Amino acid sequence: MSTEGYQAILEQRNLRFCHYTVKNRTVHFSGTEHYTAPSMHIPHGPEAAVEKGAIAPESKEKWLGIFDAIDRGEKSGEVEICFKNAQGEYRWNNVRFTGIADMDGNPVSAIISYAPKGTFDDLIRAGLSMIPGDDKQTFEAAFSRCIDELNGTLE
């Protein structure tokens, strides 16, 4: 199965991704993202999301905290954030990030994934169960390639 096929599995399970670039604080959403317009680059993305009301007021500090953690070089983190969906309704989501550093260990970017609250691990398991023969190693390798390709094309 192709990288696109594995990405489709994740999307069908309502697991979404975006890419954050530390240097210019830009957030990039892929063309398949249903919360935003196709292939959006949002300069000053963390702050812009708050200013536009995409983040619920009670989640503002946690939302901005994710990006502060990434900027400090933290490798990973998880938090619950309430933000607007495509229908304009605030919904709670589990948000996870994985920081990516350069050869010197300086933070460069991060992959941020999110899914409706309470379903994150269920979504991953469901995605794995859709793979013929339940070949988890193939899935994990393709998933890693997908993240590497996303990171390589957006820096």
Side-chain angles (χ1 to χ4, degrees):
M1 186 178 297
S2 68
T3 300
E4 292 82 11
Y6 290 111
Q7 186 174 359
I9 289 170
L10 295 173
E11 289 169 1
Q12 288 174 9
R13 294 295 178 202
N14 205 22
L15 183 59
R16 303 293 180 204
F17 293 90
C18 62
H19 180 270
Y20 170 67
T21 304
V22 171
K23 182 168 58 173
N24 57 12
R25 293 184 66 80
T26 298
V27 178
H28 176 268
F29 294 91
S30 70
T32 59
E33 177 54 51
H34 69 213
Y35 286 94
T36 63
S39 284
M40 274 182 62
H41 279 15
I42 305 173
H44 307 291
E47 295 82 9
V50 171
E51 291 168 8
K52 294 181 188 240
I55 307 301
E58 64 269 23
S59 292
K60 175 185 172 185
E61 295 304 316
K62 287 182 181 180
W63 172 254
L64 295 175
I66 290 171
F67 299 95
D68 291 341
I70 295 166
D71 291 345
R72 286 191 310 269
E74 291 188 25
K75 301 288 184 211
S76 63
E78 182 175 352
V79 67
E80 290 180 358
I81 303 286
C82 186
F83 54 83
K84 278 187 186 174
N85 62 16
Q87 293 74 39
E89 303 166 329
Y90 284 109
R91 296 286 186 236
W92 285 97
N93 287 264
N94 290 325
V95 180
R96 293 181 177 177
F97 75 85
T98 301
I100 300 167
D102 63 16
M103 297 298 281
D104 296 324
N106 300 311
V108 175
S109 62
I111 301 299
I112 301 168
S113 57
Y114 48 99
K117 183 179 173 183
T119 60
F120 211 110
D121 291 326
D122 293 339
L123 292 170
I124 295 295
R125 282 191 291 279
L128 287 172
S129 70
M130 292 178 65
I131 298 170
D134 198 27
D135 186 355
K136 289 176 181 60
Q137 289 179 332
T138 301
F139 175 81
E140 290 170 358
F143 183 74
S144 292
R145 280 194 313 273
C146 180
I147 297 300
D148 290 343
E149 288 173 15
L150 180 62
N151 187 45
T153 60
L154 298 176
E155 287 185 18

